[in-house]
Amino acid sequence: MMKLRATEYTWEQFEALPMETKAELLAKPDGMPFCTLFAQQFNRERIDALCDLATKIRQIAKTRSGMEFLQSLLFHKRAMIYFTQPSSRTFLSFHSACQILGLRTGEVRDAAISSEFKGETREDSIRTFSSYFDLIIMRTQEKGLAERMSWVLAKSERPIPIINAGSGKDQHPTQALLDIYTLRRSFERRGGLANRTILYVGDLARGRTVRSLSNLLLNYDNIRHVFVAAEPLQIGQDILDMLDRRGASYVVTDDMQKYLPEADAVYMTRIQDEWDRSKGESARIDTSKFKINANLMRLMKPSAILMHPLPRRDEIATDCDTDPRAMYWRQMRNGMWIRTALIASTFDCQSRIEAFFRDNF
Ligand code: NCD
């Protein structure tokens, strides 16, 4: 079993390390993450490797013999899907990804019916899972919990990998991977992902998907980030500081219509009112300018795409759904394949998948 170099640090020391250092400490010898916790763990080479693997897996999965091969890969492993925050897509896509690779799954979706209700600490719960399972996929309210648990497990006798499936308002690295995979597939025959303008619209203060995606997009040349939101819902200064450090160009605005014609991708998000500090806080903000419909889509380039991590409310009107530029349903399915690739890579299955692909396609 892998021993992470994270064990050389106390939790306080580890937590204070720069993201880049943490990323290296959480990596396997091949450079891919052992624990997938934040977007900064992926450089261009790792993103490309995962996307290529996802595309091969989806080809292989088209046939019965291909599915039999894929299901044999991790037949000997079990995964705990520990989701204490609501989820449909991320839960189902991870569940499906496990099924594709033959992993059997267990799940906790409500801490109130686990021993946490009896006062067990999160640390003890996670160590309990690590006694029965070989992988933990977790979604929590709490920023940094997956990271702390990875450190706890790294010190234990069964240091199994953890995949962060959404941590509070902070990060959602696998959503960012599926977003990049979608962008890559959309632009691969049209000059690639470099030199693109990306509009992020909606609740950028509390939406974790945009935080992870803007991070991952730093791996591509000359991306222009346009953050479109009502002032109280604008992107955090920490993200702008990071863009500044990396010399990336960005615009912070509340004028969606002005920038729609310049966008190559428009990434809509929902108002995350579950984080409201007082009842009706979000409802008092005028968000009417941060919605799109078929009429407004006419302002977008014919080659631009419309994305959304889903679930949506009314920020994308249903009359957009039949527009060929609406990518959100495909985005969701891409999520299943990139998560399958990530789990396969976590357990070092790439070379067997590549060999099968070479022999059969
Ligand atoms: C997102 C999330 O949970 O952050 N959903 C998802 O994983 N597809 C976005 C959201 O809830 O608005």
Side-chain angles (χ1 to χ4, degrees), residues 30-258:
D30 68 357
M32 292 300 258
F34 177 70
C35 291
T36 298
L37 305 177
F38 40 83
Q40 290 89 332
Q41 286 173 274
F42 295 93
N43 59 20
R44 182 62 188 275
E45 194 189 327
R46 294 172 195 165
I47 296 170
D48 286 347
L50 269 187
C51 291
D52 292 343
L53 190 63
T55 300
K56 287 186 181 128
I57 290 173
R58 72 200 295 172
Q59 277 290 107
I60 295 172
K62 284 187 201 298
T63 64
R64 185 187 167 96
S65 62
M67 269 310 276
E68 276 167 0
F69 160 73
L70 290 170
Q71 293 200 351
S72 72
L73 286 172
L74 294 175
F75 185 70
H76 57 309
K77 300 283 183 192
R78 290 178 303 279
M80 162 50 81
I81 312 186
Y82 175 70
F83 271 41
T84 55
Q85 254 193 325
S87 174
S88 310
R89 264 152 295 271
T90 309
F91 179 84
L92 288 174
S93 73
F94 268 116
H95 193 259
S96 304
C98 289
Q99 285 181 337
I100 292 167
L101 294 167
L103 275 120
R104 265 71 60 86
T105 55
E107 59 188 79
V108 169
R109 300 205 63 179
D110 183 356
I113 55 161
S114 80
S115 277
E116 278 178 42
F117 187 68
K118 300 185 199 166
E120 184 167 65
T121 61
R122 284 269 170 89
E123 278 85 347
D124 283 4
S125 292
I126 298 287
R127 283 193 72 155
T128 305
F129 300 153
S130 77
S131 308
Y132 301 121
F133 294 95
D134 305 289
L135 168 68
I136 298 172
I137 301 163
M138 68 190 279
R139 163 172 287 202
T140 68
Q141 294 269 104
E142 211 180 301
K143 172 183 173 180
L145 184 69
E147 191 178 314
R148 187 153 56 87
M149 293 307 154
S150 300
W151 179 88
V152 167
L153 287 188
K155 294 244 178 226
S156 76
E157 57 294 334
R158 262 181 69 78
I160 64 169
I162 295 186
I163 297 177
N164 175 6
S167 51
K169 290 178 264 186
D170 188 35
Q171 285 247 5
H172 196 349
T174 64
Q175 177 72 42
L177 286 170
L178 78 88
D179 294 336
I180 287 277
Y181 186 42
T182 303
L183 285 161
R184 217 179 87 128
R185 286 172 76 81
S186 303
F187 294 115
E188 66 188 347
R189 284 187 203 86
R190 295 191 267 141
L193 237 180
N195 311 314
R196 302 287 176 182
T197 293
I198 317 285
L199 249 67
Y200 312 94
V201 185
D203 190 342
L204 313 181
R206 303 174 293 184
R208 52 196 171 194
T209 61
V210 167
R211 296 174 56 80
S212 289
L213 178 57
S214 53
N215 245 298
L216 219 50
L217 279 168
L218 288 172
N219 290 294
Y220 295 83
D221 290 336
N222 198 25
I223 299 284
R224 184 162 164 250
H225 307 256
V226 182
F227 299 101
V228 187
E231 202 272 319
L233 301 178
Q234 254 307 351
I235 193 76
Q237 188 57 43
D238 61 330
I239 295 287
L240 300 180
D241 290 345
M242 173 199 70
L243 296 175
D244 280 333
R245 277 199 303 279
R246 301 286 293 266
S249 93
Y250 62 83
V251 177
V252 177
T253 178
D254 65 356
D255 193 347
M256 182 175 84
Q257 291 205 26
K258 176 174 173 200

Side-chain angles (χ1 to χ4, degrees), residues 215-345:
N215 245 298
L216 219 50
L217 279 168
L218 288 172
N219 290 294
Y220 295 83
D221 290 336
N222 198 25
I223 299 284
R224 184 162 164 250
H225 307 256
V226 182
F227 299 101
V228 187
E231 202 272 319
L233 301 178
Q234 254 307 351
I235 193 76
Q237 188 57 43
D238 61 330
I239 295 287
L240 300 180
D241 290 345
M242 173 199 70
L243 296 175
D244 280 333
R245 277 199 303 279
R246 301 286 293 266
S249 93
Y250 62 83
V251 177
V252 177
T253 178
D254 65 356
D255 193 347
M256 182 175 84
Q257 291 205 26
K258 176 174 173 200
Y259 287 96
L260 272 183
E262 296 174 29
D264 295 296
V266 178
Y267 193 98
M268 302 297 295
T269 64
R270 143 186 100 79
I271 304 303
Q272 314 269 319
D273 50 14
E274 66 270 34
W275 296 104
D276 280 2
R277 280 159 304 183
S278 61
K279 206 170 158 43
E281 184 188 356
S282 298
R284 286 191 289 276
I285 302 169
D286 180 9
T287 53
S288 55
K289 289 196 301 177
F290 310 102
K291 296 178 183 179
I292 197 161
N293 55 32
N295 201 26
L296 284 168
M297 272 190 91
R298 291 200 199 130
L299 296 174
M300 287 167 56
K301 295 181 197 171
S303 60
I305 61 169
L306 181 63
M307 302 173 73
H308 196 305
L310 301 177
R312 72 170 152 187
R313 290 180 181 168
D314 59 353
E315 59 278 356
I316 299 185
T318 49
D319 63 5
C320 298
D321 291 4
T322 48
D323 191 305
R325 296 170 296 175
M327 213 48 70
Y328 26 98
W329 303 112
R330 264 176 275 177
Q331 205 178 331
M332 193 160 82
R333 190 152 167 92
N334 288 340
M336 179 175 80
W337 297 117
I338 202 82
R339 287 174 173 132
T340 307
L342 179 67
I343 296 170
S345 144

